[in-house]
Amino acid sequence: MKQASADLDVALPQADRPAWPVRVLLGTWLLVLLTWLGVISLTWNFIAFLLKFVLHGATARRVGRAGIAYGYRFYWACARASGLMRLEAESLDVLRALPGGIIIAANHPSLLDALMIIARLPRSACVMKGALMRNPFLGAGAGLAGYVVNDSTRTMIRTSTERLREGCQLVVFPEGTRSPAPGQIHPFSRSIALIAQRAQAPIQAVVIETDSPYLGKGWPLWKLPPVPIVFRARLGECFAPEADAERLSARMEEYFRRELRP
């Protein structure tokens, strides 16, 4: 399988557009991978729904986070073996041994970003939109894991602070939405700096690099991008909490713009 993946990398460089029969085959294979992700998510959500009746509090959140992390890690192993996707985030593994709570702040070029980071960090929880809590693919699992809803800024900051004080690694995207294009970012929200200030937790920057538009802003699920699809996550600067949240947010935004500059 590794040889097949390597052969595909050589046969399909990013700049070349394959003939239409090959595109149909690859597009179908990509949809199979997405369906497999849906199967994994639905299966874990059913298990999480049942676990909510027997697990509570910090124990439920610990089990819920680990279940999501290892489920996504299994998916990325399958995706890599297929030859269509390479998600390189092993550099994040050093964070697993860090004691205490920490904020993981990343740029957001694709819908895959949270899945890629969470897969490496079994103690992690996401800040997510309230609508996703009602999603059958995510809701029960996210609820069991104690993910944070961002519908209300005040509630989000309070809940995030509680999670960090429990020792959670909180995954956030300071842009608040997907980036406009690979290598570009939206202005950062200061709410991340406010959470760090309230919880007295450091902010670890994670820089996600890609030249693929796949599942970025406006990219439909069924559209085949250039393959292989490659995303790399690397550790960046670690920011200490500051009394001036505006200043810290501006520093972080400038740092990411500099790191993503060609």
Side-chain angles (χ1 to χ4, degrees):
M1 188 65 76
K2 288 184 178 179
Q3 183 60 46
S5 175
D7 291 344
L8 183 59
D9 287 359
V10 173
L12 296 170
Q14 293 272 10
D16 292 347
R17 182 176 175 83
W20 72 264
V22 178
R23 292 202 305 273
V24 170
L25 180 63
L26 292 175
T28 302
W29 190 220
L30 188 61
L31 289 176
V32 168
L33 278 177
L34 290 173
T35 302
W36 181 230
L37 176 60
V39 169
I40 293 172
S41 297
L42 279 174
T43 301
W44 174 248
N45 270 266
F46 177 71
I47 295 170
F49 174 77
L50 297 178
L51 287 175
K52 287 174 71 173
F53 293 101
V54 294
L55 298 178
H56 306 282
T59 300
R61 290 191 284 274
R62 185 168 59 251
V63 171
R65 291 166 192 165
I68 292 173
Y70 289 114
Y72 285 154
R73 186 177 291 198
F74 173 64
Y75 173 74
W76 293 133
C78 297
R80 187 181 185 97
S82 77
L84 288 180
M85 292 188 193
R86 284 208 309 269
L87 294 105
E88 301 171 2
E90 292 82 1
S91 64
L92 306 188
D93 289 354
V94 298
L95 300 177
R96 298 174 66 178
L98 290 181
I102 187 172
I103 299 171
I104 312 293
N107 55 307
H108 199 10
S110 166
L111 287 174
L112 300 175
D113 305 328
L115 281 63
M116 180 167 58
I117 295 171
I118 289 168
R120 311 306 308 186
L121 304 174
R123 286 195 290 130
S124 62
C126 253
V127 174
M128 62 193 298
K129 294 179 180 178
L132 293 177
M133 282 290 191
R134 298 181 288 277
N135 186 306
F137 291 92
L138 300 171
L144 183 71
Y147 281 19
V148 179
V149 177
N150 69 356
D151 287 346
S152 161
T153 301
R154 181 176 297 179
T155 303
M156 177 191 72
I157 292 173
R158 184 182 70 247
T159 307
S160 296
T161 301
E162 292 171 357
R163 297 290 182 265
L164 287 163
R165 287 174 178 166
E166 289 177 357
C168 173
Q169 296 178 325
L170 191 70
V171 178
V172 298
F173 298 100
E175 296 172 81
T177 186
R178 279 172 287 169
S179 306
Q184 301 177 22
I185 59 172
H186 292 291
F188 279 13
S189 165
R190 70 170 186 153
S191 60
I192 311 307
L194 287 170
I195 293 170
Q197 180 190 97
R198 179 79 64 87
Q200 284 300 291
I203 303 174
Q204 173 63 60
V206 170
V207 181
I208 299 175
E209 297 170 313
T210 183
D211 59 3
S212 175
Y214 186 59
L215 296 184
K217 207 73 169 176
W219 190 273
L221 282 172
W222 57 86
K223 185 177 179 182
L224 179 70
V227 292
I229 302 162
V230 181
F231 287 83
R232 296 183 179 90
R234 59 179 172 87
L235 292 179
E237 185 174 335
C238 190
F239 295 84
E242 294 183 8
D244 188 338
E246 290 281 2
R247 179 175 176 273
L248 177 55
S249 183
R251 282 182 55 217
M252 289 172 55
E253 182 180 333
E254 175 54 32
Y255 172 79
F256 273 91
R257 292 189 187 279
R258 188 169 63 249
E259 289 295 306
L260 292 168
R261 197 171 293 147

